[in-house]
Amino acid sequence: RNYMKKVTIGGKEIVDPTGKTREVHPSTVTTFTDWKFGLGGARDDILHLEQSKYPTVQPDENFLPKTAKPVTPDNSAEARKKTRELAATLNPSMNLNPLNENAASPEFPGLWGQDDGAIEDEKRRAHASKISKLEAKMMEEARKRQKENIVQPQVVWGKEFKGPAFVCKPAAAEYIDFEVGQSYSMTLTLTNVSFTFNSFKLLDQPDILKDFFTIDYKPSGALSAGIATTLKLTFEPKVNQDIDTEIKFLAETGAFSVPVRCRTKKAVLSTLTPEIVYDIVYGEDKTLPLILHNAGALPVEYFVRQMKSETEGLPPPVDPEADPDDEVIIPDIEFTQLDPQIALQLEGTMGGYCKETIDINYTPSSPS
C-alpha cells in the first residue's frame, strides 16, 4: 500500500478501481523515469522528482536541446534546507544562512515560504486523496476479489490436482533429546509434486514457533514440477518441555504444513520378554533371561518386585454404559515378598538407549 502511494500520481492505493479505463498505461499513472528523460520530453513531475534527488545540481542550458522544457527551480523551504545541509557537509567553513543561527523561526510555515508549484502540488494531492463512495466500494470489492483469487485450482490436460502441492523431506522436523541453552539447525527440502509450476509463501506462524524457532528462507519464486527448494529451521530451546507445533505454508493450490516435534530427554523403560514360562518338573532348575530396554536418553534405576496378584495395576473393566469422558482411576500396585523359589538380581541401573539382561533362576520346591 505504501509503495503504491509512493510511485503513483496522486498517491493512489489501487489504479482505476472502477475498471472504466480500457487500457491503463504505466507511464500515465506512475512517476517513474521513462525514456524521454534527458531528451527534452519528460513530464514536469518527473523533472521535479529527479531534481529533488540532487538539489544543488542545475541543468546547463548549453547542452539542452531547443525543444527541452525549462526546469523551474524548486525554491521550497525543504529544498533550500537540503541545499544548505549538503553545502555545509562539503565545506563546513561556508555559512549559507544569512540570518543569525539564534534568530527565532516561525512555528508554522506560511505561504511566503512556499512557491506556487509546491502549493499547486499540495492542492492536487489533497484533491486526489478524496474518492467517491462508488470508488471506495469498488476498491473494497477489488480487495475482496484479490483475497478470493489467492488459491486457485490447478487443472492440466483436464485433470485437477488435489492434495498438498509440496512434499517435505524429512516429513517432520523432529528434535529429540534436546537440551536447554543449545542451538539445533535442520534443513528442510520442499519438492513441488503438483502438475505444473507452483510457488508458496510462509504464513503467520504460531506464537510458540516464533518464540523458539528461526526460519531462514529466501523466496524461490515459481518452481516447475519436480523441482525442490530448501529452508533452514533453527531451534533454540529456552524451557525443558515437549513442543508440538507446525510450520504453515500457502501454495497457489492451497495451504499445507510441516509438523514440528521436540522431545526432552526421558527414561522409557520396557521389557522385551513380558512373559517367562518355565517348563520344568520338581527336582530341576532352569534360568531364563528377562530383557529390559531403555528407549530414552536418561539413565534409570530399576527395582524388581513381586506383585501380590496378576491383576495388580490393571485398569478396571470397561463399562459400556459409562461416560467416555469420565476419568479412569487405576488402583495402586501392591507388592509381596519374593517367592523363595525364584532367584534374580533385584535392582540395578541402566544407561540411555541400552538393553540389560536379568537372569531369573527358578527351582521348584515341591512337586505341585
Side-chain angles (χ1 to χ4, degrees):
R1 178 183 298 178
N2 295 333
Y3 176 77
M4 290 294 294
K5 289 183 177 180
K6 181 180 178 181
V7 301
T8 54
I9 298 177
K12 299 179 180 179
E13 295 183 17
I14 298 179
V15 177
D16 189 28
T18 60
K20 296 179 181 178
T21 306
R22 186 171 183 179
E23 293 183 0
V24 179
H25 298 282
S27 60
T28 61
V29 295
T30 61
T31 56
F32 287 113
T33 304
D34 55 6
W35 62 272
K36 295 181 181 180
F37 179 76
L39 299 178
R43 301 195 311 264
D44 292 339
D45 56 344
I46 296 179
L47 294 177
H48 286 297
L49 176 64
E50 293 297 328
Q51 188 180 20
S52 63
K53 297 179 181 178
Y54 311 98
T56 59
V57 179
Q58 297 294 333
D60 191 345
E61 297 181 358
N62 297 326
F63 295 97
L64 291 176
K66 295 181 180 180
T67 58
K69 300 178 181 180
V71 182
T72 304
D74 191 355
N75 294 324
S76 62
E78 183 178 357
R80 292 197 300 270
K81 181 181 178 181
K82 291 182 178 179
T83 303
R84 290 195 299 270
E85 292 178 352
L86 181 61
T89 304
L90 299 176
N91 189 1
S93 61
M94 181 184 300
N95 185 9
L96 298 181
N97 189 2
L99 302 177
N100 188 3
E101 295 181 356
N102 298 326
S105 58
E107 183 177 359
F108 302 100
L111 296 178
W112 56 86
Q114 303 179 9
D115 58 352
D116 295 338
I119 297 175
E120 292 296 331
D121 291 342
E122 186 175 352
K123 290 181 179 180
R124 185 168 59 253
R125 286 194 298 269
H127 178 72
S129 61
K130 298 179 181 179
I131 59 177
S132 63
K133 292 183 178 180
L134 176 62
E135 290 177 333
K137 180 181 178 181
M138 299 295 290
M139 188 178 299
E140 184 64 27
E141 292 179 355
R143 292 195 188 101
K144 185 176 180 181
R145 288 195 303 269
Q146 183 182 9
K147 290 182 179 180
E148 293 176 351
N149 294 332
I150 290 178
V151 177
Q152 298 180 352
Q154 186 185 94
V155 181
V156 177
W157 290 94
K159 186 176 181 180
E160 182 178 354
F161 175 79
K162 295 182 180 180
F166 288 84
V167 173
C168 181
K169 186 177 181 181
E174 295 183 334
Y175 298 89
I176 308 299
D177 301 333
F178 66 84
E179 295 181 0
V180 177
Q182 300 294 326
S183 180
Y184 305 90
S185 298
M186 177 182 296
T187 300
L188 304 178
T189 303
L190 297 171
T191 305
N192 179 14
V193 295
S194 62
F195 295 153
T196 182
F197 287 92
N198 211 324
S199 62
F200 67 89
K201 68 176 182 178
L202 289 167
L203 296 178
D204 189 21
Q205 304 302 325
D207 292 338
I208 192 171
L209 194 71
K210 298 177 182 178
D211 294 339
F212 303 114
F213 294 86
T214 302
I215 301 176
D216 185 10
Y217 168 66
K218 296 181 180 179
S220 55
L223 301 174
S224 61
I227 301 301
T229 184
T230 60
L231 63 86
K232 184 179 180 182
L233 182 64
T234 303
F235 174 43
E236 297 179 354
K238 300 179 180 64
V239 292
N240 192 35
Q241 67 180 23
D242 294 345
I243 298 176
D244 288 281
T245 184
E246 60 182 1
I247 307 175
K248 298 181 180 180
F249 300 89
L250 179 62
E252 297 177 8
T253 53
F256 66 98
S257 61
V258 176
V260 179
R261 292 187 287 268
C262 307
R263 298 293 180 264
T264 59
K265 289 185 176 181
K266 298 179 178 65
V268 184
L269 190 61
S270 62
T271 176
L272 302 180
T273 53
E275 185 177 2
I276 300 177
V277 179
Y278 291 91
D279 187 13
I280 59 175
V281 297
Y282 175 69
E284 297 178 347
D285 69 289
K286 191 173 184 180
T287 301
L288 295 178
L290 172 64
I291 302 176
L292 300 179
H293 179 221
N294 183 11
L298 293 179
V300 59
E301 186 177 1
Y302 65 87
F303 302 90
V304 181
R305 299 289 186 269
Q306 183 174 341
M307 293 189 299
K308 191 174 182 180
S309 64
E310 295 181 358
T311 59
E312 290 290 334
L314 297 180
V318 178
D319 185 2
E321 298 181 358
D323 188 355
D325 295 333
D326 290 346
E327 183 180 2
V328 178
I329 300 176
I330 299 176
D332 295 335
I333 301 176
E334 296 183 6
F335 298 99
T336 184
Q337 187 176 2
L338 187 65
D339 192 337
Q341 302 176 106
I342 301 175
L344 73 158
Q345 179 183 346
L346 297 179
E347 59 184 41
T349 303
M350 294 181 59
Y353 297 111
C354 70
K355 298 178 182 179
E356 186 166 335
T357 302
I358 302 176
D359 293 330
I360 303 178
N361 181 266
Y362 175 59
T363 305
S365 59
S366 62
S368 58

